[in-house]
Amino acid sequence: MIEGFDMADTTAIRVDLTGAATPFRRFWRSTGFSPAELLLEPEMQQTLAYVGGVPRHGIEYLRVHYMLDLVTAERFGRYDWTRLDRALDVISEYRLRPFFELMGNPSYLFTDLNERDQVHHWRDFMAELAQRYRARFGAEEMRSWYFETWNEPDIWWKLGGETGFNNYYDACHEGLRAVEPEITLGGPGVARRIPPIFKSFLAHCDNGENFFTGERGVRLDFISVHEKGARKHAEDLTPNSLAICQHEMMAVDYVRQHHPRFAHLPFINNECDPQIGWHIHHTWHALPYFAGLAAKIIDQHQRLLIENEGVDYPVLSNDNGFLGRWGNRTHLAYFGDKDIKAAQNEHLTDIGALDQRIAEPEPFELIKKPALSVMELLAWLGEERLSVSGDPLDPDRDGLGVIATRLTGGDPAILVYNSVDSFRRSGERSIRLTFDNVAPGSYALALFRIEDGRGDPYSIWETLDDLDKPGVEALTAMRAAQEPALAIEQIHVSAASPQATIKLDLALPGVALALLVRRGDECPGMPRDLKLTAYGGLNGAVNRVLFWQTGGSDSLELFDILWSENENGPYRVVNPAALLSTVYLHSAGGEAGFYKVQARDVFGRVSPPSPAVPGLAAAPSAAR
């Protein structure tokens, strides 16, 4: 079905839909970037529309460096929170939550957290932060956030060495919990492997003296580290995905051996990337290779750490949220004149320059990479894991792996990846995926794919002449190619033959998501809360980004954008490919028009369209 091939050398994969299932936590739900000031600029706001539009909260948390640099200070105790307010509002507007790094220094006021008065001022600063955002977002919402220590204190901590860092943690702990006792606070998010500050921090939290209370030990809710797959270098070094899990286990084993009362704490790698150095160009960051690698790394964490080692793993975060070009480690490729720099190295927030950039935004364009598209496919994995049988699989050796799950409504969602670490290798695997013990009824087999030439806008870009400033036709072609390829087949399953089969040749590298959707009686629900923001694009374009919420169904839905010159129609579909996410960019000239969004299921049934929203004729200032 869907694709046929010679049965020789075919890998058979079988999933029994009536077999025992185990709970499956979708733990890869976070991304990060630097610096926080980008949250106030149009390029990052458009980026967050794409990130927050990933279906089923497939990306839920946003981890951002230098958040507290957005607070300015007249003196200790006198703070201006305006920019941080706006930054957190932007995160919330796009249905994301902060993985809140308590990193940054209001007007660079703090100098040494070994100094008693400064430690008390930092505690009071934390208490004011907690009071402000509990009032702004509510206690329940704030309890759903993660709060974390200063990012990579083994590199970037400059306020007083290990003792100052432990004092800083005590101040964060006492200030935040005085306002909201049930917040989640942890760290230390170190970059190096078990560095001295990691050992000192854990020892302090385990049995050190609390700076404020004199008690032994300080509450710690999770332990975080950064482990990546290869060393930093300007050349295309081959990542080592297995090494990520191996190195994380070194930290887990250290905790279990030296601090056994912390052995069952949640463990987080919140910069899990296949390569160090966001700003170093690697062409494979733009390719389906990266999508396959991301899927494999997630599966390795599930198999090797969660299942084999019993690690409590609530969050695995990538660090792809940066702005960058094809070769940077980002979700989207940026085109425009913005000077994109390495945003971490000795960063200093220049408020005056920031205000000027907001007031006079540069035209720009963003194209979605497979790095983001694969998050859309992963988002459709369910909350129960199903066992897999058939031919034996050895994904860590030959690259072919399967994550088989079941959605809440009962539909199976199976992700197959074909990924080896070496980006120089290519090939193809023939696969026969069989669903066993399928209940009789009418079904649709939906197959999404990311591989060379499918969900692969880079393959369009590299044929262009205008590489740095693509024209209208080139941008249109890349956006048509950025969505995962989709094939749908309608089938009927009988009691006499309770099976369904998908046959495909999956490229190396490649990712495929197969969903077997049973036809029910309900049509898709009407999308809601359609919002539109206009941005100035290249070639004089006005780019309108539409962002909406689903009607609430847990069954697979696709979306179409309808446009008309007049509010009363007639409306036509303007998206060239089916949309899996709840975001769409429509590039237009001077015409304004009106927009609606409509959902459709894999059986062709459509929802009522959303109420119309007017398109803006010109891009407004980013300072909304």
Side-chain angles (χ1 to χ4, degrees):
M1 300 176 182
I2 293 188
E3 285 192 19
F5 52 85
D6 188 341
M7 293 293 290
D9 298 322
T10 297
T11 299
I13 299 170
R14 308 189 75 96
V15 180
D16 185 351
L17 302 193
T18 60
T22 56
F24 184 59
R25 175 189 272 172
R26 298 186 301 145
F27 55 88
W28 55 88
R29 52 202 172 112
S30 176
T31 193
F33 70 90
S34 180
E37 63 194 56
L38 288 173
L39 288 163
L40 307 181
E41 301 188 46
E43 295 90 348
M44 184 52 64
Q45 291 172 16
Q46 188 175 127
T47 295
L48 293 195
Y50 281 101
V51 171
V54 171
R56 304 180 75 240
H57 296 287
I59 301 179
E60 183 178 2
Y61 289 99
L62 195 66
R63 181 175 177 271
V64 188
H65 302 339
Y66 300 107
M67 288 287 279
L68 301 181
D69 274 9
L70 296 179
V71 180
T72 54
E74 180 181 324
R75 54 176 172 77
F76 288 124
R78 188 68 176 268
Y79 305 109
D80 182 350
W81 299 86
T82 306
R83 292 176 184 84
L84 184 56
D85 290 349
R86 178 59 188 137
L88 289 168
D89 287 346
V90 168
I91 293 173
S92 178
E93 284 171 16
Y94 292 109
R95 298 197 296 272
L96 298 163
R97 287 175 165 146
F99 200 112
F100 203 133
E101 289 181 23
L102 300 170
M103 180 188 194
N105 191 349
S107 300
Y108 306 103
L109 191 63
F110 292 87
T111 58
D112 185 358
L113 289 179
N114 289 302
E115 184 181 309
R116 180 179 180 83
D117 287 348
Q118 289 199 27
V119 181
H120 281 268
H121 284 306
W122 189 272
R123 179 201 58 188
D124 296 344
F125 176 49
M126 290 292 99
E128 189 173 342
L129 180 149
Q131 290 168 345
R132 186 175 190 87
Y133 296 120
R134 186 178 65 173
R136 195 176 188 91
F137 297 101
E140 183 178 359
E141 173 63 20
M142 199 166 79
R143 286 194 295 268
S144 72
W145 300 357
Y146 286 84
F147 289 86
E148 187 184 28
T149 60
W150 200 283
N151 179 65
E152 297 183 349
D154 50 325
I155 300 176
W156 308 114
W157 175 253
K158 309 295 184 185
L159 299 180
E162 293 176 12
T163 303
F165 186 73
N166 293 335
N167 292 342
Y168 151 86
Y169 183 76
D170 291 350
C172 293
H173 176 277
E174 297 301 318
L176 294 173
R177 291 211 165 99
V179 176
E180 184 48 60
E182 296 307 312
I183 65 157
T184 300
L185 173 65
V190 290
R192 300 183 177 96
R193 200 156 300 130
I194 316 180
I197 202 168
F198 180 81
K199 297 177 180 179
S200 169
F201 173 74
L202 290 179
H204 177 73
C205 292
D206 193 354
N207 53 35
E209 182 178 331
N210 185 307
F211 181 92
F212 294 92
T213 67
E215 298 173 346
R216 287 290 170 181
V218 188
R219 178 174 152 186
L220 181 65
D221 294 321
F222 64 86
I223 297 170
S224 57
V225 300
H226 298 166
E227 284 292 350
K228 300 179 189 286
R231 62 191 183 276
K232 183 177 180 178
H233 197 276
E235 301 295 339
D236 273 348
L237 298 178
T238 296
N240 185 343
S241 58
L242 270 178
I244 298 173
C245 292
Q246 292 165 352
H247 294 155
E248 287 177 26
M249 273 309 302
M250 292 172 65
V252 171
D253 287 340
Y254 177 87
V255 174
R256 289 174 174 177
Q257 179 180 354
H258 295 279
H259 302 285
R261 79 181 188 95
F262 291 161
H264 299 292
L265 283 182
F267 186 84
I268 292 171
N269 181 353
N270 47 25
E271 287 191 20
C272 179
D273 303 300
Q275 186 63 279
I276 294 173
W278 155 85
H279 59 290
I280 296 176
H281 281 245
H282 299 288
T283 302
W284 46 262
H285 283 147
L287 302 177
Y289 167 86
F290 196 85
L293 192 59
K296 181 174 65 172
I297 288 171
I298 288 167
D299 187 38
Q300 287 171 333
H301 278 77
Q302 174 66 33
R303 290 185 288 106
L304 304 178
L305 295 185
I306 297 172
E307 294 174 7
N308 291 358
E309 296 287 349
V311 178
D312 181 357
Y313 218 112
V315 178
L316 180 74
S317 185
N318 61 63
D319 211 25
N320 297 344
F322 289 84
L323 292 180
R325 306 185 190 277
W326 286 118
N328 296 130
R329 192 184 66 230
T330 61
H331 290 303
L332 301 111
Y334 167 87
F335 296 94
D337 291 330
K338 193 180 187 76
D339 185 15
I340 298 174
K341 299 177 180 178
Q344 169 87 359
N345 294 341
E346 305 298 341
H347 175 78
L348 295 174
T349 298
D350 184 338
I351 294 295
L354 169 63
D355 290 344
Q356 183 175 355
R357 291 198 304 274
I358 294 171
E360 301 174 4
E362 293 275 356
F364 69 95
E365 302 282 350
L366 297 176
I367 300 295
K368 184 165 63 173
K369 296 182 186 179
L372 182 58
S373 298
V374 74
M375 300 303 290
E376 298 176 359
L377 303 191
L378 287 160
W380 271 103
L381 293 176
E383 291 73 25
E384 292 181 308
R385 187 173 175 94
L386 300 170
S387 61
V388 174
S389 62
D391 292 333
L393 300 175
D394 190 1
D396 300 326
R397 183 183 63 82
D398 65 17
L400 185 64
V402 177
I403 307 174
T405 67
R406 181 164 55 209
L407 295 163
T408 303
D411 293 339
I414 317 297
L415 188 121
V416 184
Y417 63 85
N418 194 9
S419 169
V420 294
D421 287 353
S422 174
F423 56 87
R424 294 178 297 276
R425 286 179 54 185
S426 61
E428 195 171 71
R429 293 289 292 270
S430 295
I431 299 162
R432 183 175 69 254
L433 172 60
T434 302
F435 300 90
D436 288 324
N437 292 317
V438 181
S442 296
Y443 291 85
L445 278 169
L447 183 65
F448 296 89
R449 301 177 72 163
I450 302 171
E451 53 194 350
D452 185 28
R454 291 181 166 117
D456 177 21
Y458 184 87
S459 65
I460 303 294
W461 175 81
E462 65 180 350
T463 67
L464 303 178
D465 293 325
D466 48 349
L467 295 174
D468 293 329
K469 296 285 184 70
V472 174
E473 290 185 5
L475 288 165
T476 300
M478 285 190 284
R479 290 197 170 107
Q482 71 185 2
E483 303 300 331
L486 170 62
I488 301 173
E489 182 178 359
Q490 308 295 326
I491 64 170
H492 184 80
V493 176
S494 67
S497 182
Q499 294 179 334
T501 302
I502 291 179
K503 304 171 184 177
L504 69 147
D505 293 332
L506 184 61
L508 173 66
V511 180
L513 174 71
L515 292 107
L516 181 62
V517 183
R518 184 168 187 174
R519 185 183 180 105
D521 296 330
E522 293 186 7
C523 291
M526 181 180 70
R528 54 193 174 87
D529 300 334
L530 177 60
K531 300 176 183 178
L532 181 149
T533 306
Y535 300 89
L538 303 181
N539 311 299
V542 177
N543 289 331
R544 298 162 188 155
V545 173
L546 296 107
F547 187 75
W548 63 93
Q549 297 211 53
T550 70
S553 172
D554 195 45
S555 186
L556 178 63
E557 290 182 335
L558 305 168
F559 301 96
D560 289 314
I561 302 301
L562 312 177
W563 178 86
S564 174
E565 292 181 352
N566 303 302
E567 186 172 6
N568 295 325
Y571 283 82
R572 63 179 177 86
V573 176
V574 295
N575 50 296
L579 302 175
L580 197 54
S581 284
T582 57
V583 59
Y584 182 69
L585 184 147
H586 186 223
S587 187
E591 71 274 14
F594 294 84
Y595 292 88
K596 299 180 179 182
V597 61
Q598 184 172 268
R600 56 184 165 98
D601 65 16
V602 286
F603 303 99
R605 299 175 296 189
V606 299
S607 73
S610 69
V613 298
L616 305 178
S621 167
R624 291 182 288 168

